[in-house]
Amino acid sequence: MVKRIKIKLDVIEGMLYYWQATSEREKVGEAYLNSQAQQPEMSYIYDNEFNSESVRRALSAISNREIFHSDNKKERVFWNNNMWMMEDLDYTKLMVAPLKTLNLDSLVEKINSHNKNISHEELELIFLPSHTDEYKIIDNKLIINFFRVKPDLYEENKASIGDKPITAYIEEKIQELLEG
């Protein structure tokens, strides 16, 4: 039986500082970039093509106002997504706001009523600044690419991913996690 869904936004909170500071032309030090790249949650998006050095290189190039060259598509997408965040910080804040107020208690009840043999008491929902993946499922963790969150421009604290309201999207992916 699932007792709770823990929402983790630590990496996104750190990136908000980076995006704000960098957009204001402040120099964000390599130590900070490395600490962001080394966050334990970031390892969920790493593979043989994209790793902590990929994150550090892309963020460093942005912070230093350098041209970013890479033959690696995931690195280029990551760099591009981060550049996009700084173009309109108000939009970025609109992306974060619904995540900070996300309440999934009713979803826990719904999941438990539809699934009788759940081995996890706690599920983790982790939003990360990712590259090409929309989401990943690892053990009891649902990792969602933050860059795929689309805020509703007309209703405060509403968002979607793809063409689904965010709660419906999360419910669908958690069901996939439980069936896997």
Side-chain angles (χ1 to χ4, degrees):
M1 184 165 126
V2 173
K3 292 185 178 172
R4 84 180 248 211
I5 300 172
K6 185 177 182 179
I7 303 168
K8 298 187 87 175
L9 295 170
D10 301 346
V11 173
I12 298 304
E13 293 286 352
M15 291 304 296
L16 280 172
Y17 163 76
Y18 168 82
W19 295 322
Q20 181 76 44
T22 303
S23 73
E24 294 172 356
R25 299 199 178 275
E26 291 180 30
K27 175 72 174 111
V28 178
E30 290 292 316
Y32 188 82
L33 302 181
N34 281 323
S35 73
Q36 280 298 105
Q38 297 296 328
Q39 291 276 349
E41 290 87 4
M42 288 295 286
S43 67
Y44 297 125
I45 63 169
Y46 295 158
D47 57 25
N48 60 349
E49 296 177 280
F50 187 85
N51 56 36
S52 62
E53 180 58 16
S54 302
V55 170
R56 189 208 60 77
R57 278 180 3 90
L59 297 180
S60 181
I62 294 168
S63 185
N64 292 325
R65 310 278 189 271
E66 299 169 350
I67 295 172
F68 183 72
H69 295 289
S70 177
D71 294 331
N72 181 315
K73 180 182 179 185
K74 289 180 180 180
E75 288 181 357
R76 290 190 314 269
V77 168
F78 181 78
W79 175 85
N80 189 57
N81 285 341
N82 280 280
M83 290 293 289
W84 170 57
M85 288 295 98
M86 295 183 313
E87 284 180 18
D88 185 353
L89 288 172
D90 288 334
Y91 186 81
T92 302
K93 290 172 186 170
L94 286 174
M95 291 171 68
V96 174
L99 306 182
K100 287 185 174 185
T101 59
L102 196 58
N103 184 335
L104 300 175
D105 291 345
S106 63
L107 191 55
V108 169
E109 293 172 22
K110 196 172 183 182
I111 289 167
N112 286 329
S113 70
H114 290 86
N115 300 278
K116 300 300 176 198
N117 298 320
I118 301 173
S119 59
H120 305 291
E121 286 190 6
E122 181 176 87
L123 303 177
E124 287 185 40
L125 173 58
I126 306 169
F127 287 91
L128 294 174
S130 193
H131 39 73
T132 55
D133 296 329
E134 183 172 280
Y135 73 99
K136 273 187 170 181
I137 294 172
I138 301 172
D139 300 322
N140 67 327
K141 297 163 184 52
L142 172 58
I143 296 98
I144 296 178
N145 186 344
F146 170 74
F147 298 127
R148 300 294 175 95
V149 174
K150 294 179 189 157
D152 187 313
L153 299 176
Y154 303 104
E155 270 192 71
E156 210 171 293
N157 289 327
K158 278 187 80 178
S160 61
I161 298 177
D163 59 351
K164 295 185 180 179
I166 196 159
T167 306
Y169 180 88
I170 291 167
E171 180 181 359
E172 178 184 288
K173 300 309 176 198
I174 285 178
Q175 193 59 46
E176 187 179 324
L177 180 156
L178 294 172
E179 291 169 359

